[in-house]
């Protein structure tokens, strides 16, 4: 149910709907795109970025919120850690259990490795479960991996690493089959053909979906398989530092039990970082679609172990986060709504962008419409947004399409008495995805020996802007590749003496740069949304609370 | 971001009871944000914060209405005089199996989850489900071996586990449903011919030359190809 003044604007949307059903908004040109992005995309707001002062990417622009953490202080005192008696000694340690970590674990085990999978929250608590629209794979006769390649490069502003994109598009169909053999239920036509949909920036119908619960379906199957194969795992046990050896190889990690603060030492011949994204840093004050643990931990750990990062100055703002009601502010309104035919319209009921442009373009256009054209709609809590005209879908594709294809969206808005089959949704960009990350090669190897990366914490394949359906693809492509490569690496590895010298070096580097006093203890582990008025504490008590122990506070 | 100070002053406060203790929170918060407003920093019972992961299963009733109700803390708005507690973990059975070797039959289901037979149709599971799924009905489909129908009816399950927590017979409907969906996907769903063909073509190197050419292509040419590429209509009648 919308307030009456918003209903008035909806009347205008309804008045133009009939006409718009036949209307195609022109595609944006290369030149217009550059101008739109430069003026309105948050990546181009100079005040939002600063150059890193330390580490392998020193001097490179990075969002302030990420830079604070990348330049962060270690949580452990290396002098107080005894590495001689680790709690676990495994071939491959996988940090993080979303789609990337889970598939890496399965493949590493299949390739003969003794695996330990550790995660900050529960198995599968990751951005994967929130992915709704689908997974790209060029498997229809009028499509090809080459077309998928071109779409992906164009979406990424032609900055993507070609070898990674090649791996992505060539592995994609086998990934779809692998998932089906594990029991994923794809949307299909009665003859078994995949029921595929279009997506922003994709020139073919290429999205494989499972209603609008695609990521959830993928994740619950993989999680179940990890359990069936009896892969050893630890929940609520995030890594807080990598362990190296005296040959400069990554050789394990220090974990902490989030509930007891107990440290857990893991010795490993290879480590796969699969810690996911950074949405909970709320870059530039944006709300986020990301899960609770998306705090860039893996970037931080890999960075101070010497791993190079790439494209850290680009974040993806999903064009359509919920702007109303406030209870679901910033939560994802899947791109599948546009894929099925819904247009974006302003307060006057007029279109202002072709709805299936790449996400950076559509997000920028939504911001322009609200901030410059002043044709957004302001909510009672002073959020602003534009309309996503969902009722068009049933008019275009037949009554019942919305109920069948978008049950999660129907349910989510239905809770607030908004029937998305009859009324549009109010949307505004929300922080969705970390385009860049730890630099990898096509086998998932980082620039540090023994360290691999997969999933959202990895960067390069998406360039400066990821396309829809390419993330629930990359997690499996590079999860599988890194799992296999790490198992192989572990077979041949010649580990040296364990050491935390890199931690000491990092602390010295921070000191030299004069920032050791001003940066937080990292990794962040969890955001702090608790309203805790600590004003009454003595300085001593506050310090004890925040840094005396491994407390997440 | 919009300034909220002015609005916040007009907000009405409501009483809620977290594990029996009274707190006042602004009207309109979800259970999860209300917990945080009260000073709780969540470790358990909080995942995607968007209704997909099932981490925040919550049980509540109201001061003057003892009827238990169930929901996801991240999706449910607080109501006045709500007594609530989260169930972030419940010890439910999960059978181990090799999907490849399993037959998609009632016998397989019963071998792995014999408790299925003891369901006496009380329908508590259905009344408990925060996704409003017809849990008892798909358990009955499972008993009849209609695996396809279990997959269909249970598809929107977020696996919060509340059905298992409330079942008087110790059934684990969410795990049984997951098994059925996996059996359906692996053994019953018709296979996709075009997918198989494409995988064979890629293995035979059919696209290698074209991809090599694209990989080596200069920026200008790549941009031109991109701008000129034809776009399949998102929808044709």
């Amino acid at each position: 149910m919308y307030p009456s003044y918003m209903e008035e604007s909806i009347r205008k949307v309804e008045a133009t709907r009939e006409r718009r059903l036949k209307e195609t908004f022109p595609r944006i040109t290369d030149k217009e795109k550059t101008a739109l992005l430069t003026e309105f995309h948050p990546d181009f707001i100079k005040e939002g970025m600063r150059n890193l002062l330390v580490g392998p990417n020193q001097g490179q622009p990075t969002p302030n919120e990420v830079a604070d953490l990348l330049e962060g202080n270690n949580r452990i005192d290396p002098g107080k850690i005894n590495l001689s008696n680790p709690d676990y000694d495994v071939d491959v340690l996988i940090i993080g259990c979303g789609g990337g970590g889970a598939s890496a674990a399965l493949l590493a085990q299949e390739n003969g490795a003794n695996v330990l999978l550790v995660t900050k929250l529960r198995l599968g608590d990751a951005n994967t479960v929130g992915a709704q629209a689908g997974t790209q794979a060029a498997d229809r006769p009028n499509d090809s991996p080459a077309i998928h390649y071109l779409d992906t490069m164009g979406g990424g502003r032609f900055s993507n690493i070609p070898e990674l994109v090649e791996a992505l598009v060539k592995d994609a169909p086998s990934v779809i089959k692998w998932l089906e053999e594990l029991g994923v239920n794809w949307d299909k036509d009665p003859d078994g053909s995949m029921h595929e949909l279009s997506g922003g920036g994709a020139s073919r119908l290429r999205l494989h979906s499972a209603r609008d619960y695609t990521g959830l379906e993928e994740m619950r199957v993989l999680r179940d398989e990890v359990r069936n194969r009896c892969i050893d795992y630890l929940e609520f046990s995030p890594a807080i530092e990598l362990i190296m050896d005296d040959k400069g190889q990554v050789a394990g990690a220090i974990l902490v039990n989030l509930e007891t603060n107990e440290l857990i030492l893991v010795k490993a011949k290879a480590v796969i970082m699969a810690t996911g994204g950074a949405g909970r840093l709320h870059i530039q004050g944006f709300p986020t679609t990301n899960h609770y643990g998306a705090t860039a931990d893996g970037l931080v750990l890999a960075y101070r172990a010497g791993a190079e990062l790439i494209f850290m100055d680009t974040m993806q703002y999903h064009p359509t986060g919920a702007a109303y009601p406030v209870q679901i502010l910033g939560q994802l309104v899947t791109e599948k709504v546009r894929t099925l035919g819904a247009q974006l319209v302003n307060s006057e009921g007029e279109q202002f962008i072709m709805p299936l442009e790449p996400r950076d373009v559509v997000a920028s256009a939504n911001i322009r419409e609200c901030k410059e054209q002043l044709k957004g709609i302001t909510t009672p809590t002073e959020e602003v947004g534009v309309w996503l005209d969902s009722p068009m879908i049933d008019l275009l594709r037949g009554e019942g399409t919305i109920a069948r294809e978008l049950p999660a969206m129907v349910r989510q808005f239905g809770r607030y008495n908004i029937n998305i089959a009859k009324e549009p949704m109010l949307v505004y960009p929300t922080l969705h995805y970390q385009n860049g990350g730890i630099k990898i090669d096509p086998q998932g190897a980082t620039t540090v020996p023994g360290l691999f990366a997969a999933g959202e914490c990895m960067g390069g394949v998406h360039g400066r802007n990821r396309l829809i359906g390419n993330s629930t693809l990359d997690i499996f492509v590079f999860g599988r590749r890194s799992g296999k490569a790490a198992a192989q690496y572990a077979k041949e590895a010649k580990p040296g003496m364990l050491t935390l010298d890199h931690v000491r070096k990092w602390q010295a580097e921070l000191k030299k740069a004069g920032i050791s006093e001003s940066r937080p203890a990292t990794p962040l582990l969890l955001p702090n949304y608790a309203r805790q008025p600590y004003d009454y504490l003595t300085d001593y008590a506050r310090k004890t609370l925040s840094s005396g122990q491994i407390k997440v506070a | 971001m919009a300034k909220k100070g002015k609005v916040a002053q007009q907000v009405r406060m409501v009483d809620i009871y977290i594990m029996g203790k009274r707190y006042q929170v602004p009207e309109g918060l979800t259970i999860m944000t209300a917990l945080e407003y009260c000073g709780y920093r969540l470790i358990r019972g909080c995942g995607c914060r968007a209704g997909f992961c099932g981490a925040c299963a919550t049980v509540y009733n109201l001061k003057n209405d003892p009827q238990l109700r169930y929901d996801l803390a991240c999706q449910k708005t607080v109501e006045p005089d709500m007594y609530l507690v989260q169930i972030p973990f419940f010890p439910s059975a999960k059978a181990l199996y090799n999907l490849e070797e399993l037959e998609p039959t009632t016998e397989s289901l019963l071998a792995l989850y014999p408790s299925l037979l003891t369901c006496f149709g009380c329908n508590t599971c259905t009344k408990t489900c925060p996704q409003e799924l017809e849990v008892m009905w798909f358990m009955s489909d499972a008993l009849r071996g209609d695996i396809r129908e279990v997959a269909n009816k249970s598809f929107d399950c977020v696996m919060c586990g509340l059905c298992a927590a409330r079942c008087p017979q110790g059934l684990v409907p969410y795990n049984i449903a997951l098994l059925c969906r996996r059996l359906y996907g692996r053994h019953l769903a018709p296979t996709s011919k075009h997918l198989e063909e494409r995988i064979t073509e890629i293995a035979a190197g059919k696209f290698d030359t074209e991809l090599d050419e694209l990989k080596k292509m200069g920026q200008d040419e790549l941009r031109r190809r991109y701008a000129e590429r034809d776009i399949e209509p998102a929808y044709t009648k």
Side-chain angles (χ1 to χ4, degrees):
Chain A
M1 202 185 303
Y2 290 103
S4 55
Y5 78 92
M6 288 172 79
E7 291 284 354
E8 280 168 34
S9 176
I10 292 177
R11 297 292 92 80
K12 293 181 188 170
V13 174
E14 288 167 346
T16 57
R17 190 175 287 147
E18 192 76 16
R19 188 193 82 220
R20 284 185 291 105
L21 281 168
K22 292 171 218 132
E23 195 176 274
T24 309
F25 203 87
R27 274 161 75 181
I28 197 165
T29 65
D30 204 24
K31 208 172 150 194
E32 289 166 345
K33 173 174 168 176
T34 306
L36 176 64
L37 294 181
T38 314
E39 202 167 349
F40 294 100
H41 196 281
D43 281 356
F44 292 85
I45 295 176
K46 284 202 177 63
E47 302 76 52
M49 303 268 175
R50 64 182 161 82
N51 294 341
L52 287 167
L53 296 171
V54 288
N57 292 65
Q58 190 176 337
Q60 293 179 16
T62 307
N64 294 323
E65 296 82 354
V66 180
D68 284 347
L69 302 186
L70 289 178
E71 296 168 352
N73 279 290
N74 312 80
R75 282 182 180 269
I76 50 143
D77 179 346
K80 293 176 181 163
I81 307 277
N82 175 7
L83 294 174
S84 64
N85 195 16
D87 300 288
Y88 292 85
D89 187 348
V90 296
D91 296 329
V92 178
L93 168 67
I94 295 152
I95 304 173
C97 185
S103 25
L106 294 173
L107 264 287
Q109 194 202 42
E110 272 173 36
N111 283 276
N114 172 19
V115 175
L116 177 66
L117 177 60
V118 303
T119 181
K120 179 161 61 183
L121 298 169
R122 304 172 311 160
L123 283 188
D125 279 341
N127 284 341
T128 303
V129 291
Q132 297 177 31
T135 299
Q136 285 208 40
D139 58 11
R140 286 169 63 250
N142 73 342
D143 199 359
S144 85
I147 305 176
H148 189 182
Y149 180 97
L150 193 58
D151 287 346
T152 302
M153 293 299 286
R157 303 177 212 157
F158 304 97
S159 58
N160 322 41
I161 296 176
E163 288 69 27
L164 296 181
V165 183
E166 181 189 29
L168 185 82
V169 300
K170 278 176 80 172
D171 281 12
S174 342
V175 157
I176 297 293
K177 188 181 174 189
W178 179 68
L179 289 169
E180 180 159 68
E181 285 177 345
L182 287 169
V184 164
N185 294 193
W186 296 117
D187 290 346
K188 287 184 160 190
D189 294 332
D191 70 348
S193 306
M194 296 287 174
H195 177 70
E196 296 179 41
L197 294 167
S198 176
S203 64
R204 293 290 182 275
L205 310 189
R206 193 186 290 139
L207 272 179
H208 300 65
S209 50
R211 299 189 186 172
D212 56 352
Y213 285 108
T214 309
L216 173 67
E217 167 65 352
E218 293 165 339
M219 193 69 244
R220 60 194 178 189
V221 163
L222 286 179
R223 177 174 54 200
D224 196 48
E225 190 62 12
V226 164
R227 288 185 174 136
N228 278 352
R229 299 215 196 149
C230 300
I231 291 172
D232 208 0
Y233 65 85
L234 298 173
E235 295 181 315
F236 298 96
S237 302
I240 52 169
E241 205 70 68
L242 288 172
I243 300 172
M244 309 270 297
D245 68 15
D246 56 359
K247 297 176 179 172
Q249 307 172 115
V250 167
I254 301 174
L255 320 177
V256 64
N257 178 328
L258 266 191
E259 292 171 311
T260 63
N261 289 332
E262 176 197 21
L263 289 192
I264 304 157
L265 299 190
V266 182
K267 186 180 172 190
K269 296 195 182 85
V271 174
I272 302 175
M273 200 61 87
T275 50
R280 289 286 154 190
L281 304 184
H282 296 289
I283 291 160
Q284 297 190 26
F286 275 85
T288 183
T289 59
N290 283 194
H291 86 109
Y292 190 46
T295 52
D297 297 2
L299 288 186
V300 168
L301 299 183
Y303 191 63
R304 60 198 189 206
E308 203 182 312
L309 311 181
I310 186 169
F311 301 135
M312 280 317 298
D313 55 340
T314 73
M315 292 289 154
Q316 181 165 87
Y317 298 83
H318 195 289
T320 60
Y324 183 89
V326 68
Q327 286 90 344
I328 55 169
L329 180 70
Q331 288 178 22
L332 181 62
V333 174
T334 174
E335 188 166 327
K336 193 173 176 184
V337 179
R338 280 174 284 142
T339 279
L340 291 168
Q343 295 167 348
L344 285 158
V345 292
N346 61 24
S347 56
E348 301 302 312
E350 295 301 337
Q351 286 202 80
F352 51 88
I353 188 77
M354 199 275 275
L356 289 178
E357 296 286 358
R359 286 179 178 166
D360 51 353
V361 174
V362 183
S364 303
N366 288 356
I367 293 172
R368 179 179 63 190
E369 206 60 17
C370 294
K371 297 284 154 85
E372 191 197 55
Q373 302 295 318
L374 303 178
K375 287 184 179 170
I377 297 91
T378 304
T379 72
T381 51
E382 296 182 32
E383 305 296 336
V384 65
V386 293
W387 293 115
L388 178 59
D389 195 13
S390 48
M392 292 179 66
I393 296 171
D394 277 4
L395 296 177
L396 279 167
R397 295 182 186 247
E399 191 106 354
T401 307
I402 291 173
R404 187 177 66 248
E405 300 268 1
L406 299 165
M409 291 289 93
V410 169
R411 191 173 273 124
Q412 194 153 45
F413 281 81
R415 281 176 175 275
Y416 306 101
N417 297 317
I418 295 169
N419 177 356
I420 64 166
K422 301 288 172 216
E423 292 191 297
M425 303 136 114
L426 195 73
V427 295
Y428 193 75
T430 178
L431 182 56
H432 187 56
Y433 188 79
Q434 169 190 299
N435 292 310
I438 308 166
K439 193 175 167 186
I440 57 164
D441 74 8
Q443 307 315 320
T446 70
T447 54
V448 182
L451 183 65
F452 297 77
E456 192 170 341
C457 71
M458 151 289 282
V461 67
H462 305 301
R464 302 187 154 272
N465 173 61
R466 173 179 65 76
L467 290 189
I468 178 176
N470 267 353
S471 61
T472 55
L473 173 59
D474 86 55
I475 53 179
F476 305 120
V477 168
F478 295 102
R480 285 160 47 90
R481 282 173 172 250
S482 66
K484 194 176 167 191
Q488 199 59 43
Y489 175 93
K491 276 179 199 155
E492 293 150 18
K494 295 197 173 55
M497 290 283 291
L498 299 189
T499 171
L500 291 171
D501 277 350
H502 63 293
V503 175
R504 295 185 183 87
K505 270 187 211 146
W506 182 256
Q507 287 169 345
E509 208 177 328
L510 294 184
K511 208 159 193 182
K512 198 175 146 205
I515 54 176
S516 60
E517 301 287 312
S518 57
R519 294 297 182 270
T522 54
L524 185 63
L525 302 180
L526 291 174
N528 192 358
Y529 297 133
R531 200 179 57 113
Q532 288 172 340
Y534 285 145
D535 303 351
Y536 57 86
L537 293 177
T538 63
D539 285 351
Y540 176 78
R542 189 177 299 122
K543 220 168 166 179
T544 317
L545 199 69
S546 61
S547 65
Q549 298 178 313
I550 304 286
K551 285 237 189 265
V552 291
Chain B
M1 292 278 96
K3 292 175 283 296
K4 310 226 177 64
K6 194 178 69 187
V7 177
Q9 302 210 336
Q10 303 161 356
V11 166
R12 204 161 67 92
M13 303 296 279
V14 297
D15 284 352
I16 60 165
Y17 297 80
I18 301 170
M19 292 180 278
K21 185 164 168 44
R22 184 169 67 98
Y23 291 89
Q24 286 204 319
V25 300
E27 189 179 49
L29 298 185
T30 61
I31 291 175
M32 182 170 284
T33 49
L35 287 167
E36 289 170 337
Y37 182 88
C38 296
Y40 282 84
R41 184 152 190 212
L42 305 172
I43 294 178
R44 292 222 178 225
C46 179
C48 72
R49 302 179 72 104
F52 287 88
C53 79
C56 60
T58 300
V59 178
Y60 69 94
N61 63 11
L62 302 168
K63 200 173 187 176
N64 296 315
D65 182 355
Q67 176 76 49
L68 287 177
R69 295 164 168 87
Y70 312 88
D71 220 318
L72 301 174
C74 72
Q75 296 297 295
K76 175 69 185 169
T77 308
V78 290
E79 291 170 17
D81 292 333
M82 186 182 241
Y83 276 73
L84 57 94
V85 67
Q86 288 193 280
I87 314 282
F89 175 81
F90 190 82
S92 20
K94 142 81 189 126
L96 300 181
Y97 48 87
N98 182 334
L99 188 72
E100 284 295 311
E101 293 167 0
L102 217 53
E103 299 270 339
T105 59
T106 314
E107 289 69 35
S108 297
L109 301 183
L110 287 174
L112 293 168
Y113 292 104
S115 62
L116 183 54
L117 269 180
T118 69
C119 172
F120 55 72
C122 69
N123 210 25
T124 307
C125 48
T126 307
K127 288 183 219 152
T128 305
C129 180
Q131 293 285 89
E132 298 180 324
L133 305 180
E134 296 178 318
V135 186
M136 187 190 74
W137 293 110
F138 65 70
M139 283 299 92
S140 136
D141 292 329
L143 206 46
R144 284 202 320 275
D146 192 347
I147 285 169
R148 183 196 162 105
E149 203 41 42
V150 183
N152 179 40
K153 288 200 183 100
S154 73
F155 200 83
D156 301 356
C157 171
V158 295
M159 304 192 69
C160 69
L162 278 167
C163 53
R166 287 293 287 152
C167 177
Q169 298 294 80
L171 266 72
V172 276
Y174 72 110
N175 277 338
I176 297 173
L178 173 65
L179 169 59
C180 291
R181 288 192 304 271
R182 293 191 65 188
L183 283 169
Y184 180 75
R186 173 65 189 92
H187 296 294
L188 298 171
T191 53
S192 166
K193 200 161 145 264
H194 63 89
L195 176 66
E196 299 292 335
E197 283 167 3
R198 181 53 44 85
I199 291 169
T200 312
E201 287 171 348
I202 290 173
K206 183 177 172 185
F207 306 100
D208 290 358
T209 318
E210 204 181 349
L211 278 168
D212 278 341
E213 191 195 334
L214 285 168
K215 271 163 62 192
K216 287 182 201 132
M217 197 170 279
Q219 281 266 338
D220 290 347
E221 176 64 7
L222 208 54
R223 280 175 191 271
R224 191 185 62 78
R225 289 258 200 123
Y226 179 76
E228 288 174 2
R229 78 203 198 290
D230 67 298
I231 294 191
E232 183 179 11
Y235 175 69
T236 41
K237 282 235 163 137

